[in-house]
Amino acid sequence: MQQFEGFGKFLESLRGKMSLREAAHKSGLSHAYIRDLELQRNRSTNEKIKPSPVTLRKLSDAYKFSYTELMEKAGYLEKEDLPLAEDQLPVHNVLYIEVSAKEITYHTQTEKLNRSVNSLLDFSHFLDNLEDQGFKKMDTDLFVNLNLVEKYIEREGKLYFDSLGIGKYVVIAAIRQKKYHEQIISSVARNTGMGLNFQFDRKAASDSLFSPLKRPI
């Protein structure tokens, strides 16, 4: 796939009213190089240039624009190679995401969506961005949406997506369980509308206890 025609103008439009020096400050790139990218040529040698994936990552952060889409427009990725565009991912419905070398699987309450991929160049960044949506990495290949977890069985490391603990669940790695223990508890309390009770009966290996929130009269 080739860089689409007018990519330099597209980068310039993303910068908008931001000055070159401000863009340089935010991206860590030189203002002269940013301008060269917009002109799609090195003004010293007059040779055509193309930004590297690392450069695109910096511009993506500076301009608050989808890295995945920048990679596609720059010619590094084909649309069919993408699991799902970052801004199209229905994160409010996705319970958890599983990642393998060739496939990414999105799990919802009613289905799972498989997307084959030929390049994982940008997926580490893509998945990192999921943290802003409430996802946490709970194992090497598992990302869980804590906004949808409603039951936590500590002794088994299980996270359920229903308050009764009879539906879909995931088992998280022990090291992640320890790291996110308090956050998981807080998430469950928030998601179920229940207050926290930190009196864990660890000797009896019981589940976390919750009590209803007292609403102001």
Side-chain angles (χ1 to χ4, degrees):
M1 181 179 180
Q2 295 183 346
Q3 177 175 292
F4 90 95
E5 186 177 353
F7 183 67
K9 287 291 185 183
F10 176 72
L11 289 179
E12 187 174 4
S13 71
L14 288 182
R15 179 164 62 85
K17 295 182 179 179
M18 187 186 302
S19 70
L20 284 167
R21 292 192 180 278
E22 184 180 357
H25 176 73
K26 289 187 174 184
S27 66
L29 303 169
S30 73
H31 67 277
Y33 180 53
I34 292 175
R35 186 54 185 160
D36 283 351
L37 292 176
E38 293 175 352
L39 296 173
Q40 293 184 252
R41 63 181 177 85
N42 184 316
R43 286 172 290 170
S44 297
T45 64
N46 207 35
E47 295 179 348
K48 290 185 177 181
I49 59 174
K50 177 179 178 178
S52 68
V54 174
T55 296
L56 290 175
R57 177 77 246 178
K58 293 178 179 179
L59 292 176
S60 168
D61 292 340
Y63 298 156
K64 306 299 182 185
F65 187 80
S66 167
Y67 176 60
T68 301
E69 189 170 343
L70 270 185
M71 288 286 287
E72 180 193 337
K73 290 182 180 298
Y76 288 104
L77 293 173
E78 295 279 359
K79 261 189 179 299
E80 54 267 28
D81 292 343
L82 304 177
L84 202 57
E86 195 173 329
D87 56 358
Q88 294 177 330
L89 181 64
V91 292
H92 60 285
N93 289 329
V94 176
L95 306 178
Y96 58 97
I97 298 174
E98 292 179 303
V99 182
S100 68
K102 292 294 182 180
E103 189 174 69
I104 292 184
T105 305
Y106 304 92
H107 295 262
T108 69
Q109 284 286 10
T110 58
E111 62 182 340
K112 63 179 182 179
L113 306 173
N114 295 311
R115 295 291 185 273
S116 297
V117 295
N118 297 320
S119 170
L120 292 179
L121 181 62
D122 71 322
F123 289 134
S124 60
H125 299 291
F126 169 71
L127 293 172
D128 285 343
N129 290 337
L130 289 177
E131 184 157 340
D132 295 333
Q133 307 297 330
F135 284 81
K136 293 294 181 182
K137 186 175 183 179
M138 292 298 181
D139 211 332
T140 305
D141 58 355
L142 177 67
F143 292 78
V144 178
N145 188 350
L146 292 187
N147 290 328
L148 298 180
V149 174
E150 295 190 2
K151 187 176 180 65
Y152 171 35
I153 300 183
E154 182 185 352
R155 68 179 183 275
E156 298 175 3
K158 289 183 178 180
L159 301 180
Y160 283 86
F161 302 96
D162 66 282
S163 58
L164 297 178
I166 58 177
K168 286 187 175 182
Y169 69 89
V170 294
V171 179
I172 63 178
I175 189 171
R176 299 287 176 172
Q177 183 180 0
K178 182 178 180 180
K179 179 178 180 180
Y180 293 115
H181 179 72
E182 300 299 338
Q183 189 170 352
I184 292 171
I185 293 172
S186 297
S187 296
V188 172
R190 181 184 67 247
N191 298 340
T192 58
M194 306 292 279
L196 291 174
N197 183 333
F198 288 98
Q199 299 176 6
F200 297 103
D201 185 0
R202 296 183 183 275
K203 293 182 180 180
S206 64
D207 297 348
S208 303
L209 300 177
F210 297 90
S211 58
L213 282 171
K214 293 182 179 180
R215 298 184 180 278
I217 300 176

